[in-house]
Amino acid sequence: MTNNEHQPTQRNIWNLILGIAFTGYGSYRLYYHLNSVETDTFGLILAIAFVGLGIYDLYKYFTGK
């Protein structure tokens, strides 16, 4: 075995934690927004952004980037 072999990348645990947290919170806010009588456009945009950011963090964690 030589040193030139591909070593497994070390995953950042914060990407996993933040990905789960952002996806969970964004999903909760999106669910709350869709089931409420009052509509808040900024809240909807913010909830979608949290879900997107959470999915991106989970993608970074599982791909090792």
Side-chain angles (χ1 to χ4, degrees):
M1 297 210 168
T2 64
N3 291 339
N4 294 338
E5 290 183 18
H6 184 337
Q7 296 178 359
T9 58
Q10 186 176 6
R11 295 180 176 174
N12 189 356
I13 192 72
W14 283 108
N15 285 339
L16 178 64
I17 294 170
L18 291 176
I20 292 171
F22 285 151
T23 305
Y25 180 73
S27 298
Y28 167 74
R29 294 300 299 171
L30 194 57
Y31 174 79
Y32 181 76
H33 176 77
L34 293 175
N35 288 327
S36 67
V37 176
E38 299 178 12
T39 58
D40 179 21
T41 306
F42 182 70
L44 177 63
I45 293 170
L46 198 59
I48 292 171
F50 271 115
V51 171
L53 184 62
I55 290 171
Y56 176 69
D57 277 340
L58 290 173
Y59 170 77
K60 284 192 318 185
Y61 176 76
F62 286 114
T63 58
K65 292 185 178 183

